[in-house]
């Protein structure tokens, strides 16, 4: 079918190149999802004759059959010939990269990681040598520091150029002037850089030393001994106290808590602020005394070290018992390094150390981001270099190639070397530091932190803003809003009805139990075995509330017992259930929050990117219990407390509830199935101790629960209704189990957990055997409110010409609702919801339908996005970029980063990503500019970002004011510094031309150094205080931001204008000095240099748009320095020092003739520019001038 349709290629060569890169990426993915795509790319290569299907083909001649589209499209591209052209353009880079990779692989062959058997307390029994347990964040050592820093500096063209120029002065034939005139500026730049690096390196060394020197108690046969963290070995038994950092990856053996469990804080590992519940190995927890760990013969079999911090497979075996005890180990039995013990004292056996710990394996340095302005300046620098070479060749040509012309050519290159100013990099780096300081000191955006000081100008060049939803646009504070039972729905204003129903239900049960203690059980069993019996509203509400209060991973914590270790809150719960200082700890990674964000995934949550391992000290992780839990994870439990059913106690095996009448209900926890991003649901099996009934409760996302619950006709509709109201939905269900059913399940479940191969699949299969025909109890709705001033901020960004894409893991309806309520999509705009597509044919039809729409926002799911990108990447991105707003729902973290990369590749525009959670880290680091919000999910996003802010509304001022100022100031500063070098090079060229093209320097010694430093540095650098628009005006008229994205402040056009200005002024200054001072020609250096300094000071005044008092001080300070230096540095003035033996006469410069002639030259060089600037302001003023007036 497809072969017979007349097709034509529509994809550009750039898109085809992107496809080739993607094929290479998938080929490197190894086994897994990428492998399947790799095979499809191979299949495509075999069927290369098949062109891609053009969009907008008539739908009549199209049949939607997957078999017709079994290959991926690719535009036909001519095979690139690998000749001289290829080698010059790209081949040398490819060959160098390949050689370097080969050398690195040879030098750094990694040891193959293997599974291991670890004997308790016996490090000497380890079969292999394991790495030291030391943390090392240093980039260099004593031997590599200087070579490493020098390489980092001289890999840039600008610095390498000046190194070559400076080294040439050691050759006598090429020597132009004093060595220090070349080496002093270069040495200053290197000294500043090396000092900064040395300070940073020393701080890293101190932090590493502090962490590695922390003392821990090690359990030995002779008792406890103190050992440094760096001396801990695999197999050691380590005791970790409360609030102490865990030094290495361990298996949890014992705890002082009677429940056999403890809480740990993981905010420095995964960025999540809620505490995690960890469980000790039951075999060792039951031992009578601590010393008995050495009286048993036991070992831990652990899987090979890997990066995944959310999974672990291992077994614990005790050999000296009959029969041997085998116990499966999972993630809940582990204590990962860099986490902190939050309750009790724990004892663990070390299984991984040093580089093999999860935290170290997940720590990676983010890529070094280079700003667009730096790239543009680098291109201009190369253009200046070409101009330098051309000018030198012209001078040698006009000289007639006499004598050793090649030596003269090199001398001219040295004479004109100031065309490329070495002070450019110094001034820009200092300017960036000033911009960062201004951002952090801005009182209107408190708490702002600049973590990457090299790209502040990027904030003024952004075209695409990609934002997370939950916690970024919304507050991530969940409030219970709706309970739906199928036939009746309760909202915020009818919660008191639920409270009365719950109170009546429990008072009725209590009266029945008091009247007939034996008769209450059979009717309830009959009811559970026959679910079709019509239940009263009161009993349904009672069942729903009980399911909500039982099915979770929340533990009540009592502050009054917080300081007591070795006891649980269980005892206090028995004594006083009405304690007002009770708070709830969500012990799961995400509970309500995870379900609310369904497909957020954990890929990036497993990567602690950009965070130094040295920051994992106990001091840095202190937090109060009140601030730890994310409210979204306990919103449901807090709601059940408000309606009368309170969770008062929980440990590993039991849970206690308090009814409205004060009665305590006890439940035994038989099994717990935590939430995972794959299953999107969690479950619990409990036994009611009063009735011995066993019930399996489960809650989760509607997409996961719909196939599990019994048939109903309302769930899907009500989920959609709640989502349209902006509520997050959660489906709750239950299933009654007999004792025989549970015993059969437990035996299969235990066997699956002991498996070392495909354990997760086998366990999931056993659990799924229970998840059939469950009774649907209720549907809950939780609201996540918008952050403050989100609507005006988004409107401001939209008016500024920034296109906003919202990437979220939430469901389509909720994401659409938030997009409307936040005004991401304006009320007047249409929304095109991209239908769910699964193959190429469906994607083709849907893209055709989408192409017919104009000026409408796009909403697309992650699955459909993946299909479109697979078959029609270039076309989809082209269409999506035309939309005013795009919403991608059900996005995984890797998809978020992929979307950022696609926008960069296909549009070439600057992108910004903003988020607050660990799942946003990959997106933040992939973007040109990453902004992190310190949210309720922890600091991982803000630590990995380039800029950190407290609230989303702060981004408006960050971009409109600071982004604008940073870009405008750097553009003016960079061009002015280049102008400063060009004007003196022009004067040198004129001077050499007059003296028969002699390669003699015009200015010598300190004059050249002083020109770029004390004479002009302060006024020129004061441009970093300039501003064209007041902050209030920039915020009021965000449309001004559109001009910045066009890059008009620094372009080849503006650069050429500055070049012409430099040539004009340099020519006037030099020719004016020669003409007006013909009789006093020996003083031409003093005359021209004085006019040059005055001209530069006036040019700074011409460039300034808003005066600051420091600018005035800098102008007069520089002028004073020059005037005072005339008397002390007279030996450097006058070319006569070289040629005629004449020196500067101080009396000469005080004459009226000298003063008026210098003034005349200066006025002629500057006055026309002032006139042109005035005329331009009057005839064609820039947009900001119109607003200011």
């Amino acid at each position: 079918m497809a072969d017979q349709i007349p097709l034509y290629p529509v994809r550009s060569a750039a898109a085809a190149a992107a496809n080739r890169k993607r094929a290479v990426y998938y080929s490197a993915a190894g086994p897994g999802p990428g492998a399947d795509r790799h095979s499809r790319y191979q299949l495509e290569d075999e069927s290369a004759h098949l062109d891609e299907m053009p969009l907008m083909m008539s739908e009549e001649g199209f049949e939607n059959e997957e078999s017709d589209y079994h290959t991926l499209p690719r535009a036909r591209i001519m095979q690139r010939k690998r000749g001289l052209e290829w080698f010059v353009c790209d081949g040398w880079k490819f060959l160098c990269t390949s050689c370097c990779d080969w050398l690195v692989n040879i030098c750094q062959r990694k040891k193959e990681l293997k599974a291991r058997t670890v004997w308790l307390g016996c490090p000497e029994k380890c079969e292999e040598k394991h790495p030291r347990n030391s943390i090392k964040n240093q980039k260099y050592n004593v031997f590599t520091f200087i070579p490493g820093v020098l390489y980092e500096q001289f890999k840039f063209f600008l610095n390498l150029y000046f190194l070559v120029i400076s080294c040439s002065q050691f050759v006598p034939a090429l020597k132009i002037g004093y060595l220090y005139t070349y080496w002093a500026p270069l040495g200053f730049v290197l000294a500043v850089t090396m000092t900064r690096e040395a300070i940073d390196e020393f701080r890293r060394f101190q932090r590493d030393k502090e962490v590695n020197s922390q003392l821990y108690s090690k359990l030995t046969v002779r008792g406890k001994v103190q050992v440094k963290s760096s001396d801990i070995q695999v197999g050691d038994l380590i005791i970790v106290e409360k609030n102490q950092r865990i030094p290495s990856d361990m298996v949890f053996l014992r705890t002082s808590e009677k429940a056999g469990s403890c809480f740990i804080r993981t905010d420095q590992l995964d960025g999540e602020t809620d505490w995690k519940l960890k469980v000790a190995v039951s075999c060792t927890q039951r031992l009578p005394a601590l010393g008995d760990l050495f009286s048993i013969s036991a070992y831990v079999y652990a899987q090979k070290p890997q990066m995944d911090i959310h999974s672990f497979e291992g077994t614990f075996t005790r050999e000296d018992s009959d029969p041997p005890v085998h116990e499966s180990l999972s993630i809940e039995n582990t204590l990962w390094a860099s986490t902190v013990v939050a309750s009790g004292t724990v004892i663990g056996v070390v299984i991984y150390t040093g580089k093999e710990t999860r935290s170290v394996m997940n720590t990676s340095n983010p890529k070094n981001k280079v700003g667009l302005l730096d790239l543009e300046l680098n291109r201009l620098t190369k253009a200046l270099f070409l101009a330098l070479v051309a000018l030198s060749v012209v001078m040698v040509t006009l000289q007639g190639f006499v004598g050793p012309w090649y030596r003269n050519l090199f001398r001219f290159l040295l004479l004109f070397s100031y065309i490329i100013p070495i002070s450019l990099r110094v001034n820009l780096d200092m300017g960036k530091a000033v911009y960062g300081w201004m951002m952090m000191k801005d009182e209107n955006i408190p708490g702002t932190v600049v973590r990457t000081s090299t790209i502040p100008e990027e904030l003024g060049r952004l075209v695409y803003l990609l934002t997370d939803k939950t916690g970024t646009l919304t507050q991530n504070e969940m409030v219970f809003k709706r309970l739906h039972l199928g036939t009746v729905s309760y909202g915020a204003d009818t919660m008191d009805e639920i409270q009365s129903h719950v109170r009546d239900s429990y008072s009725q049960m209590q009266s029945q139990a008091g009247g007939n203690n034996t008769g209450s059980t059979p009717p309830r069993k009959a009811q559970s075995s026959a679910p079709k019996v019509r239940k009263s509203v009161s009993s349904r509400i009672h069942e729903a509330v009980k399911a909500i209060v039982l099915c979770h991973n929340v533990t009540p914590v009592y502050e009054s017992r917080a300081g007591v270790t070795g006891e649980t809150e269980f005892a206090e719960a028995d004594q006083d259930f009405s304690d007002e200082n009770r708070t709830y700890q969500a012990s799961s990674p995400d509970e309500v929050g995870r379900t609310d964000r369904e497909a957020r995934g954990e890929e990036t949550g497993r990567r602690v990117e950009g965070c130094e391992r040295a920051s994992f000290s106990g001091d840095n992780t202190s937090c109060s219990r009140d601030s730890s839990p994310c409210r979204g994870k306990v919103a449901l439990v807090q709601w059940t407390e408000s309606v009368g059913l309170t969770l008062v106690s929980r440990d590993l095996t039991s849970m206690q509830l308090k009814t409205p009448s004060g009665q305590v209900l006890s439940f035994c926890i038989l099994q717990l199935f935590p939430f995972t991003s794959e299953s999107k649901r969690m479950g619990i099996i409990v036994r009611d101790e009063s009735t011995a009934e066993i019930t399996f409760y489960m809650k989760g996302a509607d997409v996961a629960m719909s196939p599990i619950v019994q048939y109903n006709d309302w769930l899907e509709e009500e989920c959609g209704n709640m989502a349209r109201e902006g509520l997050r939905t959660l489906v709750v269900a239950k299933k009654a189990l007999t004792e025989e059913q549970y015993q059969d399940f437990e035996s299969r479940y235990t066997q699956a957990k002991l498996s070392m191969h495909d354990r997760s699949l086998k366990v999931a299969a056993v659990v799924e055997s229970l998840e059939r025909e469950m009774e649907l109890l209720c549907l809950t709705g939780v609201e996540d409110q918008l952050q403050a001033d989100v609507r005006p901020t988004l409107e401001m960004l939209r008016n500024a010409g920034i296109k906003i894409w919202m990437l979220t893991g939430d469901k389509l309806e909720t994401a659409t609702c938030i997009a409307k309520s936040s005004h991401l999509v304006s009320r007047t705009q249409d929304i095109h919801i991209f239908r769910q597509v699964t193959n190429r044919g469906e994607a083709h039809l849907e893209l055709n339908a989408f192409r017919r729409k104009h000026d409408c926002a796009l909403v697309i799911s992650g699955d459909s996005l993946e299909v479109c990108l697979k078959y029609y990447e270039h076309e989809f991105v082209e269409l999506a970029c035309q939309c005013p707003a795009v919403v991608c729902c059900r996005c995984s973290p890797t998809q978020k980063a992929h979307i950022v990369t696609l926008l960069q590749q296909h549009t070439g525009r600057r992108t910004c990503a903003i988020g607050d959670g660990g799942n946003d880290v990959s997106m933040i680091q992939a973007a040109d500019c990453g902004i992190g919000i310190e949210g309720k999910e922890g600091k991982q996003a803000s630590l990995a970002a380039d800029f950190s802010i407290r609230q989303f509304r702060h981004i408006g001022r960050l971009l409109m004011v600071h982004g604008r100022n940073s870009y405008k100031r750097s553009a003016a500063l960079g061009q002015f510094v280049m102008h400063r070098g060009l004007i003196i090079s022009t004067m040198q060229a004129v001077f050499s031309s007059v003296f028969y093209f002699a390669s003699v320097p015009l200015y010598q010694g300190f004059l050249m150094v002083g020109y770029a430093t004390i004479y002009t540095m302060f006024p020129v650098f004061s441009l970093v205080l300039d501003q064209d628009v007041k902050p209030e005006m920039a915020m009021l008229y965000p449309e001004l931001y559109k001009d910045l994205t066009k890059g008009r402040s620094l372009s080849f056009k503006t650069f050429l204008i500055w070049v012409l200005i430099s040539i004009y002024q340099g020519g006037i200054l030099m020719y004016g000095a020669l003409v007006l001072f013909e009789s006093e020609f020996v003083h031409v250096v003093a005359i021209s240099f004085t006019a040059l300094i005055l001209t530069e000071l006036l040019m700074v005044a011409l460039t300034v748009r808003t005066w600051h008092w420091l600018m005035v001080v800098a102008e007069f300070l520089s002028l004073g320095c020059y005037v005072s230096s005339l008397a002390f540095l007279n030996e450097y003035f006058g070319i006569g020092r070289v040629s005629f033996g004449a020196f500067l006469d101080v009396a000469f410069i005080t004459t009226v003739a000298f003063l008026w002639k210098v003034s005349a030259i200066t006025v002629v060089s500057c006055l026309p520019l002032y006139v042109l600037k005035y005329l331009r302001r009057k005839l064609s003023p820039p947009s900001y001038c119109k607003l200011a007036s």
Side-chain angles (χ1 to χ4, degrees), residues 120 309 350 868 891 1043 1062:
L120 269 59
I309 63 174
V350 177
C868 290
C891 271
D1043 291 337
S1062 303

Side-chain angles (χ1 to χ4, degrees), residues 942-999:
S942 68
L943 289 173
D946 305 304
F947 304 90
S948 173
I949 58 178
R950 293 273 180 85
Q951 297 180 31
F952 181 81
R953 62 193 175 106
H954 292 168
I955 195 176
R957 186 175 180 86
L958 194 66
L959 301 188
M960 300 301 119
V961 177
H962 293 287
R964 177 185 188 85
N965 288 340
S966 298
Y967 170 59
K968 287 273 190 178
R969 290 165 175 171
S970 285
L973 181 63
Q975 291 179 119
F976 202 96
V977 171
M978 286 190 282
H979 154 76
R980 192 171 63 182
L982 280 166
I983 190 171
I984 201 168
S985 298
T986 304
M987 295 175 70
Q988 176 67 59
V990 173
F991 174 76
S992 295
S993 302
V994 170
F995 282 93
Y996 306 101
F997 309 104
S999 54

Side-chain angles (χ1 to χ4, degrees), residues 752-763:
K753 285 203 298 182
L754 285 172
S755 173
M756 285 303 294
H757 301 287
D758 299 325
R759 177 190 291 183
S760 57
L761 294 176
K762 293 176 182 177
V763 168

